[in-house]
């Protein structure tokens, strides 16, 4: 169950287990900017289907402006895809996964294009792979998803917030 948001429109600190249905209710249907959120959530649902076709079990840690009630509409939903290492993946599986994650420092030869970031699902998803059970990776993303950012995009010292976990 998703806990009540703080007076600042944030989840209380910690990782909160939830379902896709609960996320749709709290962060789409009851949230500001519903139409924008519906589009992002539809992309998330399709993205989840695509990931789950490849990875038998795992979790999404769901974060970002999508998981807040802010004055501005969210740009995307941020995801850490926690991959269960006990499920064997083939090189073909990894080839299928690669385009589903955010890529940084991308260059394309024809025509000559360079961009600092390419996000899946037309930019509606910002997603990163995390191997379950590797403490340093899990701690990094827990710390990253717990940060509260100010209007300047910089972390607010001493402030923390929560994020969601959806397991399949």
């Amino acid at each position: 169950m998703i806990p009540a948001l703080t007076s600042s429109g944030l989840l209380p600190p910690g990782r909160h287990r939830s379902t896709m249905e609960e996320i749709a209710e709290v962060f789409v249907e009851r949230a500001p900017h519903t139409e924008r959120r519906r589009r992002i959530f539809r992309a998330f649902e399709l993205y989840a289907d695509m990931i789950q076709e490849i990875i038998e079990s795992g979790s999404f840690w769901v974060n970002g402006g999508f998981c807040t009630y802010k004055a501005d509409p969210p740009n995307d939903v941020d995801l850490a895809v926690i991959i269960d290492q006990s499920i064997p993946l083939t090189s073909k599986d990894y080839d299928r996964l690669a385009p589903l994650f955010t890529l940084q420092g991308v260059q394309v030869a024809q025509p000559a294009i360079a961009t600092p970031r390419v996000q899946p699902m037309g930019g509606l998803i910002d997603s990163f792979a995390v191997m379950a059970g590797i403490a340093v990776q899990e701690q990094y993303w827990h710390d990253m998803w717990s940060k509260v950012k100010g209007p300047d995009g910089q972390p607010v010292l001493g402030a923390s917030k929560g994020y969601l976990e959806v397991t399949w």
Side-chain angles (χ1 to χ4, degrees):
M1 186 98 157
I2 297 174
L5 301 182
T6 68
S7 60
S8 300
L10 304 174
L11 286 163
R15 184 179 335 139
H16 307 285
R17 288 185 173 259
S18 63
T19 65
M20 294 293 277
E21 294 80 14
E22 291 169 338
I23 293 171
E25 178 61 30
V26 173
F27 291 108
V28 177
E29 299 308 321
R30 285 196 257 154
H33 313 290
T34 302
E35 289 307 312
R36 173 69 181 165
R37 289 170 177 278
R38 278 191 187 124
R39 176 175 285 190
I40 294 168
F41 191 73
R42 285 194 320 262
F44 181 21
E45 289 177 307
L46 179 57
Y47 181 85
D49 287 346
M50 295 169 74
I51 289 286
Q52 292 168 15
E53 282 181 2
I54 304 166
I55 301 170
E56 186 177 313
S57 65
S59 300
F60 294 111
W61 288 359
V62 186
N63 188 47
F66 184 82
C67 295
T68 67
Y69 286 11
K70 292 184 179 179
D72 295 327
N75 294 319
D76 57 22
V77 62
D78 297 342
L79 303 173
V81 180
I82 312 302
I83 301 171
D84 183 344
Q85 292 187 83
S86 68
I87 307 299
L89 295 175
T90 67
S91 60
K92 184 177 178 180
D93 293 332
Y94 284 109
D95 288 345
R96 290 174 60 204
L97 283 172
L100 296 176
F101 294 108
T102 297
L103 305 175
Q104 299 187 47
V106 176
Q107 295 184 7
V108 179
Q110 296 294 326
I113 298 171
T115 183
R117 189 176 195 89
V118 175
Q119 294 174 240
M121 309 303 288
L124 297 174
I125 305 286
D126 201 8
S127 181
F128 304 92
V130 179
M131 299 310 288
I134 299 180
V136 68
Q137 284 188 25
E138 289 186 5
Q139 189 64 49
Y140 173 84
W141 288 103
H142 169 78
D143 292 347
M144 182 68 71
W145 276 188
S146 297
K147 290 179 183 175
V148 175
K149 294 182 182 176
D152 61 357
Q154 297 302 310
V156 177
L157 294 176
S160 68
K161 64 173 182 55
Y163 57 95
L164 303 172
E165 179 178 51
V166 176
T167 301
W168 73 92

PDB file of all heavy atoms in Angstrom, residues 4-39:
ATOM      1  N   ALA A   4       0.530   7.751   2.614  1.00  0.00           N
ATOM      2  CA  ALA A   4       0.136   9.137   2.331  1.00  0.00           C
ATOM      3  C   ALA A   4       1.379   9.971   2.054  1.00  0.00           C
ATOM      4  O   ALA A   4       2.441   9.760   2.666  1.00  0.00           O
ATOM      5  CB  ALA A   4      -0.631   9.706   3.521  1.00  0.00           C
ATOM      6  N   LEU A   5       1.259  10.896   1.124  1.00  0.00           N
ATOM      7  CA  LEU A   5       2.373  11.781   0.804  1.00  0.00           C
ATOM      8  C   LEU A   5       2.543  12.820   1.901  1.00  0.00           C
ATOM      9  O   LEU A   5       1.592  13.153   2.612  1.00  0.00           O
ATOM     10  CB  LEU A   5       2.129  12.474  -0.537  1.00  0.00           C
ATOM     11  CG  LEU A   5       1.949  11.558  -1.745  1.00  0.00           C
ATOM     12  CD1 LEU A   5       1.755  12.392  -3.000  1.00  0.00           C
ATOM     13  CD2 LEU A   5       3.096  10.598  -1.910  1.00  0.00           C
ATOM     14  N   THR A   6       3.755  13.324   2.021  1.00  0.00           N
ATOM     15  CA  THR A   6       4.035  14.379   2.986  1.00  0.00           C
ATOM     16  C   THR A   6       3.373  15.677   2.530  1.00  0.00           C
ATOM     17  O   THR A   6       2.886  15.777   1.402  1.00  0.00           O
ATOM     18  CB  THR A   6       5.558  14.617   3.130  1.00  0.00           C
ATOM     19  OG1 THR A   6       6.035  15.175   1.888  1.00  0.00           O
ATOM     20  CG2 THR A   6       6.290  13.329   3.459  1.00  0.00           C
ATOM     21  N   SER A   7       3.414  16.692   3.376  1.00  0.00           N
ATOM     22  CA  SER A   7       2.839  17.995   3.012  1.00  0.00           C
ATOM     23  C   SER A   7       3.572  18.627   1.828  1.00  0.00           C
ATOM     24  O   SER A   7       3.041  19.506   1.162  1.00  0.00           O
ATOM     25  CB  SER A   7       2.860  18.938   4.221  1.00  0.00           C
ATOM     26  OG  SER A   7       4.186  19.133   4.663  1.00  0.00           O
ATOM     27  N   SER A   8       4.779  18.145   1.545  1.00  0.00           N
ATOM     28  CA  SER A   8       5.545  18.629   0.389  1.00  0.00           C
ATOM     29  C   SER A   8       5.235  17.850  -0.881  1.00  0.00           C
ATOM     30  O   SER A   8       5.848  18.090  -1.925  1.00  0.00           O
ATOM     31  CB  SER A   8       7.048  18.525   0.669  1.00  0.00           C
ATOM     32  OG  SER A   8       7.389  19.308   1.787  1.00  0.00           O
ATOM     33  N   GLY A   9       4.318  16.884  -0.797  1.00  0.00           N
ATOM     34  CA  GLY A   9       3.945  16.096  -1.970  1.00  0.00           C
ATOM     35  C   GLY A   9       4.914  14.974  -2.291  1.00  0.00           C
ATOM     36  O   GLY A   9       4.977  14.512  -3.432  1.00  0.00           O
ATOM     37  N   LEU A  10       5.674  14.530  -1.283  1.00  0.00           N
ATOM     38  CA  LEU A  10       6.668  13.465  -1.476  1.00  0.00           C
ATOM     39  C   LEU A  10       6.254  12.215  -0.705  1.00  0.00           C
ATOM     40  O   LEU A  10       5.516  12.292   0.281  1.00  0.00           O
ATOM     41  CB  LEU A  10       8.037  13.928  -0.955  1.00  0.00           C
ATOM     42  CG  LEU A  10       8.592  15.220  -1.540  1.00  0.00           C
ATOM     43  CD1 LEU A  10       9.875  15.621  -0.816  1.00  0.00           C
ATOM     44  CD2 LEU A  10       8.832  15.081  -3.033  1.00  0.00           C
ATOM     45  N   LEU A  11       6.780  11.075  -1.136  1.00  0.00           N
ATOM     46  CA  LEU A  11       6.605   9.860  -0.352  1.00  0.00           C
ATOM     47  C   LEU A  11       7.460   9.959   0.906  1.00  0.00           C
ATOM     48  O   LEU A  11       8.575  10.483   0.852  1.00  0.00           O
ATOM     49  CB  LEU A  11       7.061   8.635  -1.167  1.00  0.00           C
ATOM     50  CG  LEU A  11       6.136   8.206  -2.287  1.00  0.00           C
ATOM     51  CD1 LEU A  11       6.870   7.274  -3.254  1.00  0.00           C
ATOM     52  CD2 LEU A  11       4.906   7.515  -1.724  1.00  0.00           C
ATOM     53  N   PRO A  12       6.974   9.448   2.040  1.00  0.00           N
ATOM     54  CA  PRO A  12       7.827   9.430   3.230  1.00  0.00           C
ATOM     55  C   PRO A  12       9.061   8.563   2.971  1.00  0.00           C
ATOM     56  O   PRO A  12       9.029   7.674   2.118  1.00  0.00           O
ATOM     57  CB  PRO A  12       6.933   8.838   4.321  1.00  0.00           C
ATOM     58  CG  PRO A  12       5.746   8.284   3.641  1.00  0.00           C
ATOM     59  CD  PRO A  12       5.673   8.850   2.265  1.00  0.00           C
ATOM     60  N   PRO A  13      10.177   8.831   3.666  1.00  0.00           N
ATOM     61  CA  PRO A  13      11.413   8.080   3.418  1.00  0.00           C
ATOM     62  C   PRO A  13      11.205   6.569   3.487  1.00  0.00           C
ATOM     63  O   PRO A  13      10.385   6.066   4.245  1.00  0.00           O
ATOM     64  CB  PRO A  13      12.346   8.560   4.529  1.00  0.00           C
ATOM     65  CG  PRO A  13      11.862   9.942   4.832  1.00  0.00           C
ATOM     66  CD  PRO A  13      10.365   9.860   4.691  1.00  0.00           C
ATOM     67  N   GLY A  14      11.975   5.874   2.656  1.00  0.00           N
ATOM     68  CA  GLY A  14      11.953   4.414   2.631  1.00  0.00           C
ATOM     69  C   GLY A  14      11.490   3.875   1.299  1.00  0.00           C
ATOM     70  O   GLY A  14      11.051   4.612   0.413  1.00  0.00           O
ATOM     71  N   ARG A  15      11.614   2.561   1.149  1.00  0.00           N
ATOM     72  CA  ARG A  15      11.148   1.850  -0.042  1.00  0.00           C
ATOM     73  C   ARG A  15       9.784   1.258   0.289  1.00  0.00           C
ATOM     74  O   ARG A  15       9.651   0.504   1.238  1.00  0.00           O
ATOM     75  CB  ARG A  15      12.128   0.755  -0.432  1.00  0.00           C
ATOM     76  CG  ARG A  15      11.757   0.045  -1.697  1.00  0.00           C
ATOM     77  CD  ARG A  15      12.752  -1.036  -2.121  1.00  0.00           C
ATOM     78  NE  ARG A  15      14.087  -0.815  -1.621  1.00  0.00           N
ATOM     79  CZ  ARG A  15      14.878  -1.786  -1.149  1.00  0.00           C
ATOM     80  NH1 ARG A  15      14.483  -3.038  -1.116  1.00  0.00           N
ATOM     81  NH2 ARG A  15      16.083  -1.502  -0.708  1.00  0.00           N
ATOM     82  N   HIS A  16       8.789   1.595  -0.531  1.00  0.00           N
ATOM     83  CA  HIS A  16       7.415   1.197  -0.253  1.00  0.00           C
ATOM     84  C   HIS A  16       6.922   0.238  -1.333  1.00  0.00           C
ATOM     85  O   HIS A  16       6.855   0.610  -2.509  1.00  0.00           O
ATOM     86  CB  HIS A  16       6.513   2.435  -0.194  1.00  0.00           C
ATOM     87  CG  HIS A  16       7.021   3.483   0.745  1.00  0.00           C
ATOM     88  ND1 HIS A  16       6.922   3.358   2.118  1.00  0.00           N
ATOM     89  CD2 HIS A  16       7.660   4.655   0.511  1.00  0.00           C
ATOM     90  CE1 HIS A  16       7.461   4.423   2.687  1.00  0.00           C
ATOM     91  NE2 HIS A  16       7.918   5.217   1.729  1.00  0.00           N
ATOM     92  N   ARG A  17       6.595  -0.980  -0.921  1.00  0.00           N
ATOM     93  CA  ARG A  17       6.061  -1.962  -1.873  1.00  0.00           C
ATOM     94  C   ARG A  17       4.711  -1.491  -2.383  1.00  0.00           C
ATOM     95  O   ARG A  17       3.902  -0.974  -1.623  1.00  0.00           O
ATOM     96  CB  ARG A  17       5.913  -3.322  -1.211  1.00  0.00           C
ATOM     97  CG  ARG A  17       7.232  -3.987  -0.951  1.00  0.00           C
ATOM     98  CD  ARG A  17       7.006  -5.385  -0.403  1.00  0.00           C
ATOM     99  NE  ARG A  17       8.265  -6.059  -0.305  1.00  0.00           N
ATOM    100  CZ  ARG A  17       8.696  -6.955  -1.181  1.00  0.00           C
ATOM    101  NH1 ARG A  17       7.939  -7.301  -2.198  1.00  0.00           N
ATOM    102  NH2 ARG A  17       9.860  -7.532  -1.032  1.00  0.00           N
ATOM    103  N   SER A  18       4.498  -1.683  -3.671  1.00  0.00           N
ATOM    104  CA  SER A  18       3.230  -1.292  -4.263  1.00  0.00           C
ATOM    105  C   SER A  18       2.958  -2.147  -5.491  1.00  0.00           C
ATOM    106  O   SER A  18       3.793  -2.948  -5.898  1.00  0.00           O
ATOM    107  CB  SER A  18       3.224   0.199  -4.622  1.00  0.00           C
ATOM    108  OG  SER A  18       4.192   0.462  -5.602  1.00  0.00           O
ATOM    109  N   THR A  19       1.805  -1.946  -6.073  1.00  0.00           N
ATOM    110  CA  THR A  19       1.437  -2.621  -7.309  1.00  0.00           C
ATOM    111  C   THR A  19       1.272  -1.577  -8.402  1.00  0.00           C
ATOM    112  O   THR A  19       1.132  -0.371  -8.119  1.00  0.00           O
ATOM    113  CB  THR A  19       0.104  -3.378  -7.135  1.00  0.00           C
ATOM    114  OG1 THR A  19      -0.935  -2.415  -6.909  1.00  0.00           O
ATOM    115  CG2 THR A  19       0.178  -4.385  -5.987  1.00  0.00           C
ATOM    116  N   MET A  20       1.235  -2.041  -9.623  1.00  0.00           N
ATOM    117  CA  MET A  20       0.996  -1.133 -10.739  1.00  0.00           C
ATOM    118  C   MET A  20      -0.385  -0.475 -10.587  1.00  0.00           C
ATOM    119  O   MET A  20      -0.539   0.712 -10.885  1.00  0.00           O
ATOM    120  CB  MET A  20       1.100  -1.876 -12.072  1.00  0.00           C
ATOM    121  CG  MET A  20       2.504  -2.399 -12.381  1.00  0.00           C
ATOM    122  SD  MET A  20       3.710  -1.093 -12.684  1.00  0.00           S
ATOM    123  CE  MET A  20       3.379  -0.736 -14.408  1.00  0.00           C
ATOM    124  N   GLU A  21      -1.361  -1.230 -10.107  1.00  0.00           N
ATOM    125  CA  GLU A  21      -2.697  -0.679  -9.923  1.00  0.00           C
ATOM    126  C   GLU A  21      -2.694   0.453  -8.898  1.00  0.00           C
ATOM    127  O   GLU A  21      -3.357   1.485  -9.086  1.00  0.00           O
ATOM    128  CB  GLU A  21      -3.673  -1.786  -9.493  1.00  0.00           C
ATOM    129  CG  GLU A  21      -3.919  -2.841 -10.557  1.00  0.00           C
ATOM    130  CD  GLU A  21      -2.806  -3.899 -10.665  1.00  0.00           C
ATOM    131  OE1 GLU A  21      -1.936  -3.996  -9.755  1.00  0.00           O
ATOM    132  OE2 GLU A  21      -2.794  -4.621 -11.675  1.00  0.00           O
ATOM    133  N   GLU A  22      -1.964   0.277  -7.801  1.00  0.00           N
ATOM    134  CA  GLU A  22      -1.882   1.329  -6.784  1.00  0.00           C
ATOM    135  C   GLU A  22      -1.183   2.562  -7.337  1.00  0.00           C
ATOM    136  O   GLU A  22      -1.608   3.696  -7.076  1.00  0.00           O
ATOM    137  CB  GLU A  22      -1.127   0.821  -5.550  1.00  0.00           C
ATOM    138  CG  GLU A  22      -1.880  -0.219  -4.772  1.00  0.00           C
ATOM    139  CD  GLU A  22      -1.032  -0.915  -3.713  1.00  0.00           C
ATOM    140  OE1 GLU A  22       0.218  -0.919  -3.810  1.00  0.00           O
ATOM    141  OE2 GLU A  22      -1.624  -1.461  -2.781  1.00  0.00           O
ATOM    142  N   ILE A  23      -0.120   2.356  -8.111  1.00  0.00           N
ATOM    143  CA  ILE A  23       0.593   3.485  -8.710  1.00  0.00           C
ATOM    144  C   ILE A  23      -0.342   4.254  -9.642  1.00  0.00           C
ATOM    145  O   ILE A  23      -0.384   5.490  -9.617  1.00  0.00           O
ATOM    146  CB  ILE A  23       1.867   3.016  -9.451  1.00  0.00           C
ATOM    147  CG1 ILE A  23       2.890   2.478  -8.448  1.00  0.00           C
ATOM    148  CG2 ILE A  23       2.462   4.157 -10.281  1.00  0.00           C
ATOM    149  CD1 ILE A  23       4.086   1.790  -9.083  1.00  0.00           C
ATOM    150  N   ALA A  24      -1.110   3.528 -10.452  1.00  0.00           N
ATOM    151  CA  ALA A  24      -2.052   4.190 -11.362  1.00  0.00           C
ATOM    152  C   ALA A  24      -3.077   5.020 -10.587  1.00  0.00           C
ATOM    153  O   ALA A  24      -3.395   6.150 -10.974  1.00  0.00           O
ATOM    154  CB  ALA A  24      -2.761   3.153 -12.234  1.00  0.00           C
ATOM    155  N   GLU A  25      -3.561   4.484  -9.492  1.00  0.00           N
ATOM    156  CA  GLU A  25      -4.572   5.197  -8.707  1.00  0.00           C
ATOM    157  C   GLU A  25      -3.984   6.459  -8.060  1.00  0.00           C
ATOM    158  O   GLU A  25      -4.554   7.543  -8.175  1.00  0.00           O
ATOM    159  CB  GLU A  25      -5.153   4.271  -7.633  1.00  0.00           C
ATOM    160  CG  GLU A  25      -6.177   4.936  -6.742  1.00  0.00           C
ATOM    161  CD  GLU A  25      -7.409   5.447  -7.473  1.00  0.00           C
ATOM    162  OE1 GLU A  25      -7.797   4.865  -8.510  1.00  0.00           O
ATOM    163  OE2 GLU A  25      -7.982   6.452  -7.008  1.00  0.00           O
ATOM    164  N   VAL A  26      -2.839   6.321  -7.383  1.00  0.00           N
ATOM    165  CA  VAL A  26      -2.269   7.432  -6.613  1.00  0.00           C
ATOM    166  C   VAL A  26      -1.550   8.452  -7.493  1.00  0.00           C
ATOM    167  O   VAL A  26      -1.713   9.665  -7.304  1.00  0.00           O
ATOM    168  CB  VAL A  26      -1.318   6.901  -5.514  1.00  0.00           C
ATOM    169  CG1 VAL A  26      -0.588   8.038  -4.809  1.00  0.00           C
ATOM    170  CG2 VAL A  26      -2.088   6.050  -4.512  1.00  0.00           C
ATOM    171  N   PHE A  27      -0.765   7.980  -8.467  1.00  0.00           N
ATOM    172  CA  PHE A  27       0.091   8.902  -9.219  1.00  0.00           C
ATOM    173  C   PHE A  27      -0.378   9.192 -10.638  1.00  0.00           C
ATOM    174  O   PHE A  27       0.315   9.867 -11.394  1.00  0.00           O
ATOM    175  CB  PHE A  27       1.539   8.399  -9.201  1.00  0.00           C
ATOM    176  CG  PHE A  27       2.148   8.496  -7.837  1.00  0.00           C
ATOM    177  CD1 PHE A  27       2.389   7.357  -7.084  1.00  0.00           C
ATOM    178  CD2 PHE A  27       2.424   9.728  -7.273  1.00  0.00           C
ATOM    179  CE1 PHE A  27       2.929   7.442  -5.807  1.00  0.00           C
ATOM    180  CE2 PHE A  27       2.956   9.831  -5.997  1.00  0.00           C
ATOM    181  CZ  PHE A  27       3.204   8.685  -5.267  1.00  0.00           C
ATOM    182  N   VAL A  28      -1.565   8.687 -10.986  1.00  0.00           N
ATOM    183  CA  VAL A  28      -2.180   9.068 -12.260  1.00  0.00           C
ATOM    184  C   VAL A  28      -3.561   9.657 -11.981  1.00  0.00           C
ATOM    185  O   VAL A  28      -3.774  10.847 -12.175  1.00  0.00           O
ATOM    186  CB  VAL A  28      -2.264   7.874 -13.236  1.00  0.00           C
ATOM    187  CG1 VAL A  28      -2.968   8.295 -14.529  1.00  0.00           C
ATOM    188  CG2 VAL A  28      -0.877   7.314 -13.543  1.00  0.00           C
ATOM    189  N   GLU A  29      -4.468   8.834 -11.490  1.00  0.00           N
ATOM    190  CA  GLU A  29      -5.863   9.252 -11.357  1.00  0.00           C
ATOM    191  C   GLU A  29      -6.088  10.316 -10.288  1.00  0.00           C
ATOM    192  O   GLU A  29      -6.931  11.188 -10.461  1.00  0.00           O
ATOM    193  CB  GLU A  29      -6.758   8.044 -11.115  1.00  0.00           C
ATOM    194  CG  GLU A  29      -6.727   7.036 -12.255  1.00  0.00           C
ATOM    195  CD  GLU A  29      -7.001   7.642 -13.626  1.00  0.00           C
ATOM    196  OE1 GLU A  29      -7.870   8.533 -13.738  1.00  0.00           O
ATOM    197  OE2 GLU A  29      -6.334   7.228 -14.599  1.00  0.00           O
ATOM    198  N   ARG A  30      -5.341  10.270  -9.196  1.00  0.00           N
ATOM    199  CA  ARG A  30      -5.548  11.255  -8.118  1.00  0.00           C
ATOM    200  C   ARG A  30      -4.523  12.386  -8.142  1.00  0.00           C
ATOM    201  O   ARG A  30      -4.584  13.283  -7.311  1.00  0.00           O
ATOM    202  CB  ARG A  30      -5.471  10.559  -6.753  1.00  0.00           C
ATOM    203  CG  ARG A  30      -6.710   9.761  -6.444  1.00  0.00           C
ATOM    204  CD  ARG A  30      -6.769   9.438  -4.974  1.00  0.00           C
ATOM    205  NE  ARG A  30      -6.374   8.062  -4.743  1.00  0.00           N
ATOM    206  CZ  ARG A  30      -5.848   7.584  -3.628  1.00  0.00           C
ATOM    207  NH1 ARG A  30      -5.617   8.366  -2.611  1.00  0.00           N
ATOM    208  NH2 ARG A  30      -5.535   6.315  -3.523  1.00  0.00           N
ATOM    209  N   ALA A  31      -3.589  12.346  -9.054  1.00  0.00           N
ATOM    210  CA  ALA A  31      -2.480  13.300  -9.061  1.00  0.00           C
ATOM    211  C   ALA A  31      -2.743  14.466 -10.015  1.00  0.00           C
ATOM    212  O   ALA A  31      -3.543  14.343 -10.944  1.00  0.00           O
ATOM    213  CB  ALA A  31      -1.190  12.587  -9.472  1.00  0.00           C
ATOM    214  N   PRO A  32      -2.054  15.584  -9.791  1.00  0.00           N
ATOM    215  CA  PRO A  32      -2.164  16.688 -10.746  1.00  0.00           C
ATOM    216  C   PRO A  32      -1.553  16.282 -12.092  1.00  0.00           C
ATOM    217  O   PRO A  32      -0.725  15.384 -12.150  1.00  0.00           O
ATOM    218  CB  PRO A  32      -1.358  17.809 -10.087  1.00  0.00           C
ATOM    219  CG  PRO A  32      -0.475  17.151  -9.092  1.00  0.00           C
ATOM    220  CD  PRO A  32      -1.146  15.871  -8.684  1.00  0.00           C
ATOM    221  N   HIS A  33      -1.981  16.945 -13.151  1.00  0.00           N
ATOM    222  CA  HIS A  33      -1.471  16.702 -14.509  1.00  0.00           C
ATOM    223  C   HIS A  33      -1.797  15.283 -14.970  1.00  0.00           C
ATOM    224  O   HIS A  33      -0.954  14.580 -15.531  1.00  0.00           O
ATOM    225  CB  HIS A  33       0.039  16.977 -14.594  1.00  0.00           C
ATOM    226  CG  HIS A  33       0.451  18.256 -13.961  1.00  0.00           C
ATOM    227  ND1 HIS A  33       0.125  19.484 -14.489  1.00  0.00           N
ATOM    228  CD2 HIS A  33       1.126  18.513 -12.810  1.00  0.00           C
ATOM    229  CE1 HIS A  33       0.597  20.440 -13.709  1.00  0.00           C
ATOM    230  NE2 HIS A  33       1.201  19.883 -12.678  1.00  0.00           N
ATOM    231  N   THR A  34      -3.041  14.891 -14.776  1.00  0.00           N
ATOM    232  CA  THR A  34      -3.478  13.523 -15.041  1.00  0.00           C
ATOM    233  C   THR A  34      -3.205  13.072 -16.470  1.00  0.00           C
ATOM    234  O   THR A  34      -2.729  11.945 -16.685  1.00  0.00           O
ATOM    235  CB  THR A  34      -4.981  13.370 -14.711  1.00  0.00           C
ATOM    236  OG1 THR A  34      -5.172  13.731 -13.345  1.00  0.00           O
ATOM    237  CG2 THR A  34      -5.461  11.958 -14.933  1.00  0.00           C
ATOM    238  N   GLU A  35      -3.484  13.895 -17.456  1.00  0.00           N
ATOM    239  CA  GLU A  35      -3.296  13.470 -18.850  1.00  0.00           C
ATOM    240  C   GLU A  35      -1.832  13.153 -19.146  1.00  0.00           C
ATOM    241  O   GLU A  35      -1.529  12.145 -19.782  1.00  0.00           O
ATOM    242  CB  GLU A  35      -3.853  14.511 -19.825  1.00  0.00           C
ATOM    243  CG  GLU A  35      -5.365  14.580 -19.830  1.00  0.00           C
ATOM    244  CD  GLU A  35      -6.034  13.222 -20.046  1.00  0.00           C
ATOM    245  OE1 GLU A  35      -5.639  12.485 -20.973  1.00  0.00           O
ATOM    246  OE2 GLU A  35      -6.970  12.889 -19.289  1.00  0.00           O
ATOM    247  N   ARG A  36      -0.930  14.005 -18.703  1.00  0.00           N
ATOM    248  CA  ARG A  36       0.506  13.749 -18.903  1.00  0.00           C
ATOM    249  C   ARG A  36       0.906  12.465 -18.188  1.00  0.00           C
ATOM    250  O   ARG A  36       1.643  11.636 -18.713  1.00  0.00           O
ATOM    251  CB  ARG A  36       1.329  14.941 -18.385  1.00  0.00           C
ATOM    252  CG  ARG A  36       2.822  14.734 -18.393  1.00  0.00           C
ATOM    253  CD  ARG A  36       3.367  14.674 -19.786  1.00  0.00           C
ATOM    254  NE  ARG A  36       4.816  14.457 -19.748  1.00  0.00           N
ATOM    255  CZ  ARG A  36       5.523  14.093 -20.780  1.00  0.00           C
ATOM    256  NH1 ARG A  36       4.960  13.930 -21.950  1.00  0.00           N
ATOM    257  NH2 ARG A  36       6.813  13.912 -20.662  1.00  0.00           N
ATOM    258  N   ARG A  37       0.436  12.278 -16.973  1.00  0.00           N
ATOM    259  CA  ARG A  37       0.756  11.094 -16.181  1.00  0.00           C
ATOM    260  C   ARG A  37       0.202   9.825 -16.826  1.00  0.00           C
ATOM    261  O   ARG A  37       0.842   8.785 -16.767  1.00  0.00           O
ATOM    262  CB  ARG A  37       0.228  11.247 -14.758  1.00  0.00           C
ATOM    263  CG  ARG A  37       1.000  12.276 -13.946  1.00  0.00           C
ATOM    264  CD  ARG A  37       0.297  12.575 -12.633  1.00  0.00           C
ATOM    265  NE  ARG A  37       1.058  13.486 -11.822  1.00  0.00           N
ATOM    266  CZ  ARG A  37       2.078  13.130 -11.035  1.00  0.00           C
ATOM    267  NH1 ARG A  37       2.438  11.882 -10.953  1.00  0.00           N
ATOM    268  NH2 ARG A  37       2.711  14.033 -10.335  1.00  0.00           N
ATOM    269  N   ARG A  38      -0.970   9.906 -17.450  1.00  0.00           N
ATOM    270  CA  ARG A  38      -1.523   8.732 -18.142  1.00  0.00           C
ATOM    271  C   ARG A  38      -0.594   8.282 -19.265  1.00  0.00           C
ATOM    272  O   ARG A  38      -0.375   7.092 -19.450  1.00  0.00           O
ATOM    273  CB  ARG A  38      -2.908   9.044 -18.707  1.00  0.00           C
ATOM    274  CG  ARG A  38      -3.995   8.922 -17.696  1.00  0.00           C
ATOM    275  CD  ARG A  38      -5.380   8.978 -18.334  1.00  0.00           C
ATOM    276  NE  ARG A  38      -6.364   9.009 -17.286  1.00  0.00           N
ATOM    277  CZ  ARG A  38      -7.294   9.945 -17.144  1.00  0.00           C
ATOM    278  NH1 ARG A  38      -7.394  10.933 -18.028  1.00  0.00           N
ATOM    279  NH2 ARG A  38      -8.133   9.894 -16.139  1.00  0.00           N
ATOM    280  N   ARG A  39      -0.081   9.231 -20.016  1.00  0.00           N
ATOM    281  CA  ARG A  39       0.838   8.879 -21.114  1.00  0.00           C
ATOM    282  C   ARG A  39       2.096   8.217 -20.557  1.00  0.00           C
ATOM    283  O   ARG A  39       2.541   7.192 -21.073  1.00  0.00           O
ATOM    284  CB  ARG A  39       1.214  10.119 -21.908  1.00  0.00           C
ATOM    285  CG  ARG A  39       2.256   9.812 -22.991  1.00  0.00           C
ATOM    286  CD  ARG A  39       2.526  10.990 -23.824  1.00  0.00           C
ATOM    287  NE  ARG A  39       1.360  11.118 -24.689  1.00  0.00           N
ATOM    288  CZ  ARG A  39       1.292  11.930 -25.715  1.00  0.00           C
ATOM    289  NH1 ARG A  39       2.308  12.699 -26.011  1.00  0.00           N
ATOM    290  NH2 ARG A  39       0.215  11.987 -26.452  1.00  0.00           N
TER     291      ARG A  39
END
